[in-house]
């Protein structure tokens, strides 16, 4: 008899705190399981091959405006949803390709490489601030003081956001992103997200106007040059929506990568010390962190026509929950998947999704992790996460992460002794 689960079970506090035992149960049942008839989705897809297949299959589509209209969702009254539907995140296939082509032309590998010195400078400045905050032995909140601020500053550097404005973004990004969590949102959260959406739209409207008047060597100016060469490729609303989503995505993904990475390395001193001794290992560490504790655990897709996944039927119009976080722990794809192993071979995880909606900012996130983790361990050779409950959310990672930091100077042996 096939296994059936409920959405409430998937979204329960126990699973959110530690989803991996639940994922292991799912893997014992195959590649996908049915949800109960009363649930809004048809299936949970969790096996690596099935998840990879759904993300690449043109039959399965993002929940765009056409889907929401057919479902009777009154989404146009919420600015946050209008932005999501105008962006690459939920745009229909043709609209998605138009926007992705333009943004990919502006975010070239060369631009990412050119940003690396700035990433290093920003990391060093924030690490110095951490050292000052924790100099008396008090724990510091790694998420608030470093993991959230670094990607905010880096994406700000990329987009040409003035340094003085960058601390303005994190609270608005958190409010905006609350609507992306799976499950129902309270009206309070939706209202806060709408306010954040309006403020972000106003900010980027002014930034675009400033770059039209005085172009610079930044990403927004490069986008505007691309639009000038191909008039009509994006509407004004699409341009602003995609800038907001790009800022938010670049901000949250890397913050979760850094927070997850710090916890994993403090729990594994041998792996931590190996990376500190040989920073060239950082790329493989980043990939294993992304596989083992991905920044985002799920996506939702709907079937444009009758189809099936792993032998389970999905009727046209029904949605499926795609658990990329579970796929990254599939024992059929990754030997000993619950072991953190930075030397893992063939580590093609799905942390950045797959298919047409593969994260086009993945190269930047990888660069930040590769450059920052060795710097962090060089400055603080033996960081320690404070004991206590830490809520690992399936989308947003750690809200707080109190850490005691040991400066490298205090770890040196006194040769006189």
């Amino acid at each position: 008899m096939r296994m059936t689960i409920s959405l409430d079970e998937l979204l329960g506090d126990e699973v959110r705190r530690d989803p991996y035992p639940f994922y292991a149960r799912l893997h014992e049942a195959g590649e996908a399981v049915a949800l109960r008839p009363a649930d809004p989705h048809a299936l949970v897809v969790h096996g690596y091959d099935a998840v990879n297949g759904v993300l690449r299959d043109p039959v399965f589509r993002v929940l765009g405006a056409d889907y929401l209209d057919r479902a009777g969702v009154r989404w146009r009254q919420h600015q946050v949803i209008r932005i999501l539907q105008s962006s690459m995140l939920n745009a229909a296939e043709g609209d998605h390709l138009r926007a992705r082509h333009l943004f990919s032309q502006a975010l070239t590998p060369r631009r990412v490489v050119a940003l690396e010195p700035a990433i290093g400078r920003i990391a060093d400045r924030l690490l110095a601030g951490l050292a000052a905050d924790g100099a008396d032995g008090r724990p510091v909140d790694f998420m608030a003081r470093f993991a959230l601020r670094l990607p905010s500053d880096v994406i700000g550097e990329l987009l040409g956001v003035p340094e003085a404005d960058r601390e303005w973004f994190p609270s608005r990004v958190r409010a905006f992103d609350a609507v992306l969590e799976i499950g129902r949102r309270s009206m309070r959260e939706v209202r806060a997200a709408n306010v954040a959406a309006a403020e972000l739209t106003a900010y980027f409207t002014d930034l675009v106007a400033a770059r039209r008047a005085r172009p610079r060597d930044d990403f927004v100016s490069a986008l505007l040059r691309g639009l000038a060469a191909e008039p009509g490729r994006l509407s004004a609303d699409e341009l602003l929506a995609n800038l907001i989503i790009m800022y938010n995505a670049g901000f949250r993904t890397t913050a979760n990568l850094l927070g997850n990475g710090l916890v994993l390395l403090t729990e594994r001193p041998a792996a931590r010390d190996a990376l500190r001794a040989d920073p060239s290992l950082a790329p493989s560490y980043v990939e294993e962190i992304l596989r083992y504790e991905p920044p985002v655990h799920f996506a939702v897709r709907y079937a444009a026509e009758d189809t099936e996944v792993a032998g389970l039927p999905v009727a046209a119009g029904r949605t499926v929950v795609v658990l990329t976080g579970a796929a990254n722990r599939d024992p059929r794809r990754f030997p000993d998947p619950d072991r953190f192993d930075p030397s893992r071979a063939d580590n093609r995880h799905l942390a950045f999704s797959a298919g047409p909606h593969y994260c086009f900012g993945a190269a930047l996130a990888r660069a930040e992790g590769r450059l920052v983790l060795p710097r962090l361990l060089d400055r603080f050779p033996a960081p320690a996460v404070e004991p206590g409950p830490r809520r690992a959310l399936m989308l947003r990672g750690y809200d707080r992460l109190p850490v005691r930091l040991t400066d490298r100077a205090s770890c040196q042996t006194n040769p006189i002794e």
Side-chain angles (χ1 to χ4, degrees), residues 280-290 340-344 347:
S280 71
L281 298 175
S284 62
Y285 271 70
V286 169
E287 296 309 311
E288 182 67 348
I289 292 167
L290 289 166
F340 180 75
D341 180 10
S343 66
R344 188 178 295 275
N347 197 0

Side-chain angles (χ1 to χ4, degrees), residues 9 18 21 37 45 54 94 106-107 119 171 204 227 286 309 334 390 400:
E9 188 177 8
D18 182 9
V45 184
V54 167
L107 188 62
I119 296 172
S171 62
F204 282 108
L227 280 173
V286 169
V309 178
F334 299 103
R390 296 192 305 275
R400 294 184 64 254

Side-chain angles (χ1 to χ4, degrees), residues 50-331:
V51 166
N52 192 36
V54 167
L55 293 173
R56 296 175 184 276
D57 188 345
V59 169
F60 285 100
R61 302 177 185 178
V62 295
L63 309 187
D66 57 342
Y67 172 83
L68 296 184
D69 287 338
R70 287 197 301 272
V73 177
R74 293 181 292 179
W75 58 274
R76 289 179 175 82
Q77 63 186 319
H78 299 293
Q79 186 165 356
V80 62
I81 307 299
R82 293 199 303 271
I83 288 171
L84 291 171
Q85 300 313 114
S86 296
S87 74
M88 285 182 279
L89 198 63
N90 288 322
E93 183 178 0
D95 295 333
H96 172 262
L97 289 174
R98 282 191 296 108
R100 189 180 181 97
H101 175 71
L102 180 68
F103 273 66
S104 296
Q105 283 183 322
L107 188 62
T108 60
R110 183 176 180 180
R111 187 173 293 277
V112 173
V113 170
L115 197 60
E116 290 188 2
I119 296 172
R121 289 194 302 272
I122 291 166
D124 291 341
R125 172 172 55 80
L126 293 175
L127 289 171
L130 279 182
D133 291 345
D136 59 357
R138 288 181 304 177
V140 297
D141 185 348
F142 181 76
M143 295 306 294
R145 301 295 296 159
F146 188 86
L148 292 168
R149 292 180 62 180
L150 181 132
S152 178
D153 279 2
V154 169
I155 202 74
E157 189 81 15
L158 174 67
L159 297 181
V161 172
E163 189 171 336
D165 293 350
R166 294 174 191 170
E167 288 193 20
W168 178 88
F169 281 88
S171 62
R172 289 157 179 86
V173 170
R174 282 194 291 270
F176 186 103
D177 282 359
V179 301
L180 295 174
E181 271 277 14
I182 194 170
R184 292 185 179 277
R185 305 269 60 79
S186 70
M187 281 309 301
R188 181 179 180 180
E189 288 176 303
V190 173
R191 284 193 292 269
N194 281 328
V195 170
E199 293 174 335
L200 289 165
T201 299
Y203 186 92
F204 282 108
T205 298
D206 291 344
L207 182 64
V208 167
R211 293 299 176 269
R212 287 190 193 278
R214 293 187 178 181
R216 298 182 183 177
D217 184 22
D218 59 28
F219 181 82
V220 174
S221 299
L223 275 179
L224 294 175
R225 286 194 295 272
L227 280 173
E230 300 182 71
R233 174 170 285 274
L234 287 185
S235 70
D237 286 346
E238 288 173 324
L239 175 62
L240 293 173
N242 282 296
L243 285 172
I244 292 169
I245 292 302
M246 180 179 176
Y247 197 104
N248 287 25
F251 173 84
R252 295 301 307 185
T253 299
T254 304
N256 290 355
L257 165 63
L258 296 174
N260 290 338
L262 179 66
V263 171
L264 289 170
L265 294 176
T266 57
E267 293 173 344
R268 295 163 176 80
R272 178 199 67 203
D273 293 344
L275 176 57
R276 183 167 179 259
D278 185 0
S280 71
L281 298 175
S284 62
Y285 271 70
V286 169
E287 296 309 311
E288 182 67 348
I289 292 167
L290 289 166
R291 182 200 70 84
Y292 192 86
E293 286 282 9
V296 178
H297 280 237
F298 72 91
V300 177
R301 297 288 190 268
Y302 82 93
E305 59 189 61
D306 291 346
T307 186
E308 65 176 41
V309 178
L312 296 175
V314 183
R318 293 299 309 277
T319 52
V320 299
V321 178
V322 185
L323 284 180
T324 51
N328 285 346
R329 295 285 190 105
D330 187 345

